[in-house]
Amino acid sequence: MSIKNLIEFDSYSERKAFDETKAGVKGLVDAQITEIPRISRLPQGTLADKKTSVSASDFAIPIIDFAGVHVDAASREVVVEKIKDAAGNWGFFQVINHGVPLSALEEIKDGVVRFHEQDLEVKKSYFTRDAAKKFVYNSNFDLYSSSSCVNWRDSFACYMAPDPPKPEELPMACRDAMIEYSKHMISLGYFLFELLSEALGLNSEMLKSLDCMKGLLILGHYYPPCGLQVLHEDCWVDVSPLPGDLLINIGDFLQLMTNDKFISVEHRVLANRAGPRISVASFFSTSMLPNSTVYGPIKELISEENPPKYRNINLEEYTKGYFVKGLDATSHLPNFKI
């Protein structure tokens, strides 16, 4: 056996041993480990290590206030222009006065904490690597992928649309919070896709008509002490949360559909002394669910001068490849370039 294969075997064995505990990263922290396990360490000399980190005071993610968007056409146009700039240059932006009640935001955060911090034996009953289950709890969806290291987080995942689970299929710890929060996310999603369509110079119904709202996947991430950063102009920029704000991430599929008018950018969390960090991600995607829709560059955005940069694909094809590749600090999009 070569040294390379021995290293790969050791990594697999450690990942498997970690997985079989069903206790996740929180279990390691509760066991009072004194250092990050080898499987969770980014290899030295990787590209991600070579980029400069800057604070939010040096480089700030755009903050967009939705308060005036319904006042008049001029106010809406100002917001749309800000979205166009943020989606095209950052791939991320924060929104305030978005209409989702603070109570719903606080309750979903509390629900994620309650689930991940409940008795381990109760939590283990939801542990699975079967993505077809209605509610999936595990640590690292890409644990057995070719990714170079394991994320320092535990997660649960549940499709709340198009076929939501029955209430009894959700854990008591977060059941009511997920149901209520999903209603607000669906409403906000419709509105965001209208504004994003207008930011592309298209009819406000365009992205919705292309099945961008076909699915909603809610993920509840639990990180031991960590802080979020977004990559911008080759620098890692700290994301400073605001009371009641939401962080919008454009994602790969909108970059593909907009033919690079909007961008999907890398983001990461770093271990630090403050925590835990809770992240509730709402993906407007059917992901691995059956979906006959074919997605590609929007025809109104392409021309002889601006030909399509990506081939047409479906979500299942993309997601399967993404799961195999894992989170390795590289984009999956280049695999679909023409």
Side-chain angles (χ1 to χ4, degrees):
M1 179 182 289
S2 69
I3 292 176
K4 180 176 184 292
N5 286 338
L6 181 61
I7 292 172
E8 289 175 350
F9 176 78
D10 284 345
S11 176
Y12 175 81
S13 297
E14 289 183 27
R15 292 181 189 216
K16 191 170 189 297
F18 165 72
D19 201 30
E20 288 176 346
T21 69
K22 300 183 180 180
V25 169
K26 186 177 185 301
L28 297 176
V29 175
D30 290 346
Q32 298 184 329
I33 59 169
T34 56
E35 63 178 7
I36 303 289
R38 287 184 299 175
I39 59 173
S40 294
R41 298 179 200 162
L42 192 66
Q44 292 297 314
T46 60
L47 182 63
D49 285 336
K50 297 176 183 176
K51 294 163 185 167
T52 305
S53 288
V54 297
S55 70
S57 60
D58 299 315
F59 242 155
I61 287 180
I63 299 170
I64 303 177
D65 189 346
F66 280 8
V69 78
H70 296 297
V71 174
D72 52 45
S75 298
R76 185 181 180 106
E77 195 172 317
V78 169
V79 171
V80 167
E81 192 60 32
K82 289 180 179 179
I83 290 175
K84 178 182 178 180
D85 180 69
N89 294 308
W90 278 83
F92 271 82
F93 54 95
Q94 290 170 275
V95 294
I96 57 176
N97 295 313
H98 41 66
V100 180
L102 183 60
S103 59
L105 297 176
E106 292 298 330
E107 183 55 27
I108 191 64
K109 285 193 294 183
D110 291 346
V112 174
V113 172
R114 284 195 299 270
F115 175 83
H116 287 287
E117 294 188 351
Q118 68 185 320
D119 183 85
L120 179 57
E121 292 308 309
V122 176
K123 196 164 59 172
K124 278 183 177 180
S125 67
Y126 292 97
F127 185 94
T128 181
R129 293 255 166 222
D130 181 359
K133 295 283 188 181
K134 284 289 188 179
F135 186 94
V136 173
Y137 153 66
N138 58 47
S139 186
N140 288 271
F141 75 89
D142 58 343
L143 185 65
Y144 296 110
S145 74
S146 58
S147 58
S148 58
C149 71
V150 171
N151 270 286
W152 194 240
R153 74 180 182 198
D154 302 327
S155 307
F156 68 67
C158 183
Y159 288 100
M160 300 303 289
D163 181 25
K166 298 174 183 175
E168 59 268 24
E169 292 176 308
L170 296 172
M172 182 70 74
C174 55
R175 179 183 300 165
D176 293 342
M178 289 184 67
I179 293 171
E180 180 67 16
Y181 187 69
S182 297
K183 294 175 184 176
H184 291 294
M185 284 300 101
I186 289 171
S187 177
L188 179 62
Y190 275 113
F191 184 50
L192 275 172
F193 279 119
E194 287 181 5
L195 296 176
L196 287 164
S197 296
E198 292 171 26
L200 291 166
L202 304 172
N203 181 286
S204 62
E205 298 297 310
M206 178 61 76
L207 289 173
K208 289 187 287 186
S209 73
L210 297 174
D211 283 343
C212 286
M213 287 290 299
K214 205 166 188 177
L216 173 62
L217 174 64
I218 298 286
L219 282 81
H221 298 308
Y222 182 97
Y223 300 82
C226 280
L228 178 65
Q229 293 185 321
V230 168
L231 188 64
H232 179 69
E233 294 186 6
D234 218 33
C235 292
W236 288 110
V237 182
D238 292 335
V239 177
S240 298
L242 299 169
D245 76 313
L246 290 171
L247 186 64
I248 310 300
N249 175 5
I250 291 299
D252 287 357
F253 255 77
L254 272 184
Q255 178 166 337
L256 180 147
M257 293 177 71
T258 63
N259 212 37
D260 288 351
K261 281 186 176 294
F262 292 167
I263 59 172
S264 174
V265 300
E266 192 179 339
H267 54 290
R268 70 181 186 182
V269 293
L270 296 180
N272 61 26
R273 295 187 182 278
R277 178 177 181 273
I278 302 303
S279 171
V280 184
S282 302
F283 286 89
F284 292 101
S285 168
T286 52
S287 190
M288 294 291 284
L289 295 179
N291 182 352
S292 60
T293 302
V294 175
Y295 296 86
I298 300 169
K299 65 179 186 298
E300 285 82 359
L301 300 179
I302 59 177
S303 62
E304 288 187 15
E305 297 75 26
N306 184 37
K309 299 176 182 178
Y310 304 93
R311 63 180 175 86
N312 291 347
I313 61 175
N314 61 55
L315 273 170
E316 191 172 0
E317 175 190 10
Y318 172 87
T319 307
K320 282 181 178 177
Y322 182 76
F323 272 53
V324 170
K325 181 182 78 70
L327 296 173
D328 61 358
T330 62
S331 173
H332 192 39
L333 272 179
N335 297 306
F336 304 100
K337 282 199 168 184
I338 293 175

